[in-house]
């Protein structure tokens, strides 16, 4: 069990931003927990990948991005989707695989993508988003556009070849991308110490010539300010940064995983470091938000969630033939012409 770094001094963040960060944090937590209950009630099929416990790793870095900045993720970054501005009803329609979801019900329930806010739909292949995000960062540089890419992945992805190819390319070309490793200690059911011999995954940045830093991923203000510094650096043309956020998912890899391979003491250690409770204590101690204000905000969030559920559940399912739309198709005979006896042309049969 890796222990989170010792608490650091509270970074300077304007009060209004702290209130907005709390709104995004609470919205993510309560919506995530609600989605878990919806699945257990049989309201949608498949499974659900909860991020409860690690919200600060996505909300903090994403808050403050411009609309043109790009986010590339895997399946557990619901906090990034919410903070970047994807409507709750669009997320739910994706989870419910309804016809009016962003991808018309084609993809996995937790593959959140929303072009309107430049949230790119993830692939199921682990670490594939590092390559896609790097390509987008290259495009920004070639076009001389002042935008950045935030690329999220788990610590298990750092053992994949695609991850190393992407970071090497981004480092060589000083691309405007921030790599954010959400180290929740488990790659599905495989503990981090069985996938790497290094203590800190941020050390991998040294091999590619750009900064790497490890932070307490359950400290909302720290993840926000650390990412903000890296984003400023990327916009200035000074290249990528790798940020490792130490955190923990409270539940299994998905809702069909009881996670009984984990030690109860480990779970207790991390749940005691709940990022939501920690930030609420900070708001109280600094006099930024009263308890009554927090309760009113939570009530408003819950009302937003219930309205989104009603809208999503009233949406229709796509007809079966929709699965044939928006996919590639080709004829092998057209792509690989067979040998023509008269012309001697080469082909493949």
């Amino acid at each position: 069990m890796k222990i989170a770094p010792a608490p650091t001094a509270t970074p300077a963040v304007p009060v209004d931003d702290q209130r907005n960060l709390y709104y995004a944090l609470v919205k993510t937590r309560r919506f995530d927990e609600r989605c878990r209950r919806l699945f257990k009630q049989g309201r949608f099929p498949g499974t659900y990948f909860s991020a409860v416990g690690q919200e600060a790793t996505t909300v903090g870095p994403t808050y403050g991005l411009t609309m043109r900045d790009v986010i590339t993720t895997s399946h557990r970054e619901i906090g990034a989707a919410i903070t970047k501005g994807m409507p709750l009803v669009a997320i739910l329609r994706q989870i419910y695989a309804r016809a009016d979801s962003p991808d018309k019900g084609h993809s996995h329930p937790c593959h959140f993508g929303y072009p309107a806010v430049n949230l790119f739909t993830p692939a199921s292949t682990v670490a594939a988003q590092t390559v896609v995000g790097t390509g987008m960062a290259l495009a920004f540089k070639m076009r001389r556009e002042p935008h950045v890419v935030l690329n999220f992945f788990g610590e298990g992805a750092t053992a994949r070849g695609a991850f190393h190819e992407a970071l090497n390319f981004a480092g060589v070309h000083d691309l405007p991308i921030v790599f954010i490793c959400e180290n929740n200690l488990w790659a599905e059911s495989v503990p981090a110490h069985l996938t790497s011999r290094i203590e800190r995954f941020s050390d991998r940045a040294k091999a590619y010539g750009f900064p790497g830093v490890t932070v307490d991923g359950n400290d909302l203000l720290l993840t926000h300010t650390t990412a903000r510094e890296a984003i400023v650096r990327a916009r200035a043309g000074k290249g990528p940064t790798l940020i490792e956020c130490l955190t923990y998912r409270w539940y299994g890899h998905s809702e069909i995983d009881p996670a009984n391979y984990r030690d109860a003491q480990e779970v207790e250690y991390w749940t005691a470091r709940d990022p939501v409770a920690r930030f609420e204590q900070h708001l109280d101690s600094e006099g930024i938000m009263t308890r009554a204000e927090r309760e009113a905000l939570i009530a408003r969030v819950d009302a937003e969630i219930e309205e989104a559920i009603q809208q999503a559940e009233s949406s229709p399912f796509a007809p079966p033939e929709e699965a044939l739309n928006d996919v590639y198709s080709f004829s092998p005979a057209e792509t690989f012409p067979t040998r023509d006896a008269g012309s001697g042309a080469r082909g493949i049969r």
Side-chain angles (χ1 to χ4, degrees):
M1 177 175 66
K2 292 182 178 178
I3 306 301
T8 59
T10 302
V13 177
V15 169
D16 286 347
D17 286 334
Q18 293 194 47
R19 296 173 70 94
N20 292 336
L21 279 163
Y22 179 66
Y23 170 72
L25 187 73
V26 165
K27 192 173 182 177
T28 300
R29 167 64 63 86
R30 297 187 76 83
F31 185 60
D32 199 340
E33 289 282 22
R34 190 72 175 91
C35 288
R36 293 184 65 243
R37 294 201 301 274
L38 290 171
F39 174 73
K40 293 181 185 303
Q41 291 167 352
R43 307 270 280 270
F44 62 87
T47 188
Y48 177 74
F49 295 86
S50 169
V52 168
Q54 56 183 72
E55 296 91 346
T57 66
T58 51
V59 171
T62 304
Y63 179 77
L65 290 178
T66 71
M67 199 61 72
R68 292 293 305 278
D69 293 329
V70 166
I71 293 179
T72 49
T73 69
S74 61
H75 53 262
R76 208 182 299 281
E77 282 74 34
I78 191 170
I82 290 174
T83 308
K84 192 69 162 64
M86 184 173 180
L88 296 186
V89 66
I91 296 174
L92 277 171
R93 285 170 176 156
Q94 179 74 31
I95 292 172
Y96 276 74
R98 297 304 170 103
D100 49 4
S101 71
D103 71 353
K104 306 174 189 174
H106 280 226
S107 187
H108 191 279
C110 288
H111 282 176
F112 309 119
Y114 199 63
V117 297
N118 274 355
L119 176 66
F120 195 81
T121 303
S124 294
T125 307
V126 174
Q129 71 272 29
T130 60
V131 177
V132 174
T134 297
M136 292 179 172
L138 175 64
F140 285 151
K141 181 171 183 176
M142 292 176 66
R143 296 171 182 167
R144 301 180 185 278
E145 296 177 343
H147 314 305
V148 300
V149 177
L150 248 60
N151 180 244
F152 293 91
F153 50 87
E155 82 286 344
T158 71
R160 301 297 295 264
F163 167 85
H164 295 277
E165 293 172 11
L167 267 68
N168 184 61
F169 191 88
V172 167
H173 296 282
D174 284 330
L175 298 184
I177 183 169
V178 179
F179 296 101
I180 300 177
C181 174
E182 298 170 273
N183 180 4
N184 62 19
L185 309 185
W186 291 90
E188 194 161 351
S189 60
V190 180
H193 69 85
L194 291 183
T195 64
S196 174
R197 297 296 297 272
I198 60 175
E199 179 69 16
R200 296 303 185 205
F201 288 91
S202 60
D203 288 346
R204 295 204 187 281
K206 295 177 183 175
Y208 305 114
F210 56 82
V213 60
T214 297
V215 300
D216 181 347
N218 285 4
D219 185 330
L220 181 62
L221 294 184
L222 188 58
T223 61
H224 172 62
T225 55
T226 303
R228 188 173 60 189
E229 291 176 7
I231 291 168
V232 169
R233 184 174 180 276
R235 288 196 205 281
K238 297 181 179 178
T241 301
L242 171 59
I243 302 172
E244 177 192 18
C245 298
L246 298 181
T247 187
Y248 201 74
R249 59 171 161 80
W250 289 7
Y251 307 113
H253 178 63
S254 79
E255 288 305 307
I256 58 175
D257 170 18
N260 51 10
Y261 43 80
R262 302 191 302 191
D263 181 78
Q265 185 179 7
E266 176 183 290
V267 177
E268 182 180 358
Y269 172 88
W270 282 98
T271 52
R273 285 151 181 79
D274 176 5
V276 176
R278 286 176 62 178
F279 196 57
E280 288 176 342
Q281 290 172 4
H282 164 77
L283 296 175
D284 287 342
S285 64
E286 296 295 320
I288 294 174
M289 185 178 288
T290 65
R291 181 171 181 175
E293 288 176 319
R294 285 198 279 111
E295 290 176 349
L297 183 147
I298 290 170
R300 177 159 61 92
V301 166
D302 287 347
E304 290 180 43
I305 292 171
E306 293 308 315
E307 181 180 358
I309 292 171
Q310 291 181 15
Q311 293 179 12
E313 292 188 344
S314 64
S315 295
F317 287 104
E321 55 269 26
E322 175 57 39
L324 302 177
N325 294 329
D326 303 325
V327 296
Y328 290 104
S329 175
F330 64 88
S331 165
E334 295 174 356
T335 305
F336 306 111
T338 55
R339 180 185 295 276
D340 184 319
S343 65
R346 289 185 176 276
I348 299 174
R349 182 178 291 278

